[in-house]
Amino acid sequence: MKIKFLGTAAAEGIPALYCQCDVCKQAWEKGGKNIRTRCQTLINDELLIDFGPDTYKHVLEHKVPIDIIHHIIITHKHADHFYHNDLLYRRPGYAAKVDQGPLNVYGTQPTFDKVDEMVKRENMSDYLQAHLIKPFETFKVLDYVITPLLANHDQRAGAVIYLIQKENQTILYAHDTGNFEPETWEYLSKLDVKLDLISLDCTASFKTNWNWGHLSFDCFLQVIDKLKELGLVNEKTTIVANHFSHNGGASYDDMVQEAKKYNVLVSYDGMEVNI
């Protein structure tokens, strides 16, 4: 699988709008990998994870073939992960020529309701379809077997993380989340697989004991250690820290220096990993 990290920031982006903290100042000065847009990931140029407010920028900057992508899985309805208004532009009148077949959006109830309401209001069923998914109920998209798991995040937003399998490869895409919910740990403990890649929340970076809603790096490592105990992560697993906030107090360079001690990759916008 080819995993491309299109955006790697939390809701405010880095540098954050209006902010003059040290991390944001460094981002303005250094640019490059210190600039982070809102989180979004593309698998094999065909399966998109999340549809946030920076999707248009990602399409332009990373040459995402958005016109032929027909499947998007959404982690939750928060606007930094699901900016549903831009789905309207697949409708005739905005798009003069649209690739055949609807764009399929998969999400839990809050996401489903937003998309379904738009489809009905705008008469878009030929161009857009909503698919309701539920935690721990596996579904198939193309050649992928996908299982949503409960996230330790705002459940009013229907937050889930994703176990994604294709042939003999497995990835765990896990943000926004704190330390996993007991039901999620129970599900994972019964799996007989090795994770080829995990992309794990590291929003709070250098803060400590940040375990609910998001993770600080110390708690990130605790989650990885538990996955190792369960036999899901080993020395061959690619471990990626992702979804960063300036409030975590770490620039890209700062985070790389700390993460390399633990063989952890630090994501940046445009980073591509092949497993």
Side-chain angles (χ1 to χ4, degrees):
M1 279 193 274
K2 179 177 74 173
I3 298 95
K4 187 157 189 174
F5 297 87
L6 305 174
T8 57
E12 311 96 317
I14 301 177
L17 197 63
Y18 306 115
C19 185
Q20 289 297 312
C21 75
D22 289 343
V23 172
C24 290
K25 285 180 179 178
Q26 285 187 54
W28 281 116
E29 292 168 4
K30 293 183 177 180
K33 295 175 182 178
N34 292 283
I35 304 294
R36 297 183 184 274
T37 56
R38 272 66 68 94
C39 210
Q40 187 176 40
T41 299
L42 180 63
I43 299 178
N44 292 336
D45 292 329
E46 61 185 2
L47 179 64
L48 194 60
I49 306 177
D50 284 336
F51 191 80
D54 295 321
T55 297
Y56 182 59
K57 174 178 171 56
H58 297 161
V59 170
L60 295 177
E61 189 164 319
H62 304 298
K63 297 180 172 57
V64 177
I66 195 72
D67 57 319
I68 60 171
I69 291 174
H70 287 86
H71 302 277
I72 306 175
I73 56 176
I74 304 297
T75 56
H76 61 302
K77 78 165 187 175
H78 286 166
D80 57 319
H81 290 262
F82 187 48
Y83 189 72
H84 74 295
N85 289 341
D86 279 352
L87 294 172
L88 180 63
Y89 302 133
R90 204 169 189 271
R91 194 187 72 173
Y94 294 105
K97 184 179 179 181
V98 177
D99 191 62
Q100 289 186 345
L103 175 60
N104 297 281
V105 180
Y106 306 81
T108 54
Q109 195 73 57
T111 296
F112 174 86
D113 289 344
K114 278 190 170 186
V115 180
D116 192 52
E117 188 276 332
M118 175 179 282
V119 169
K120 292 173 180 175
R121 184 185 73 239
E122 302 292 341
N123 192 26
M124 288 185 66
S125 59
D126 289 342
Y127 304 94
L128 182 64
Q129 288 186 4
H131 300 269
L132 179 63
I133 62 172
K134 297 180 180 180
F136 308 110
E137 293 187 7
T138 299
F139 62 100
K140 288 194 70 174
V141 175
L142 301 173
D143 295 328
Y144 302 90
V145 178
I146 303 172
T147 306
L149 307 174
L150 272 179
N152 177 345
H153 198 67
D154 182 4
Q155 282 308 312
R156 295 169 299 177
V160 292
I161 61 179
Y162 285 109
L163 190 71
I164 303 171
Q165 298 171 286
K166 183 175 181 179
E167 298 172 351
N168 62 343
Q169 294 181 315
T170 304
I171 71 173
L172 181 61
Y173 190 84
H175 36 83
D176 296 20
T177 188
N179 198 338
F180 301 159
E181 296 285 8
E183 302 96 317
T184 295
W185 279 121
E186 182 180 2
Y187 185 94
L188 290 171
S189 70
K190 297 175 182 177
L191 287 179
D192 185 22
V193 299
K194 293 290 189 296
L195 295 177
D196 295 285
L197 179 143
I198 175 171
S199 178
L200 184 60
D201 190 287
C202 198
T203 303
S205 303
F206 288 170
K207 292 185 180 293
T208 57
N209 298 317
W210 198 292
N211 232 338
W212 190 93
H214 295 287
L215 291 168
S216 50
F217 190 57
D218 60 334
C219 294
F220 171 107
L221 293 173
Q222 291 170 16
V223 172
I224 296 300
D225 285 343
K226 187 164 183 177
L227 290 168
K228 288 178 179 177
E229 289 174 13
L230 293 175
L232 296 171
V233 167
N234 60 24
E235 67 280 357
K236 294 182 179 179
T237 303
T238 300
I239 302 171
V240 181
N242 194 12
H243 195 277
F244 294 96
S245 170
H246 61 116
N247 290 309
S251 68
Y252 172 78
D253 292 336
D254 293 335
M255 198 67 233
V256 167
Q257 186 173 354
E258 182 64 18
K260 69 181 180 181
K261 300 174 186 176
Y262 306 93
N263 295 315
V264 170
L265 294 179
V266 176
S267 67
Y268 57 87
D269 288 16
M271 184 176 84
E272 194 171 294
V273 177
N274 289 279
I275 58 170

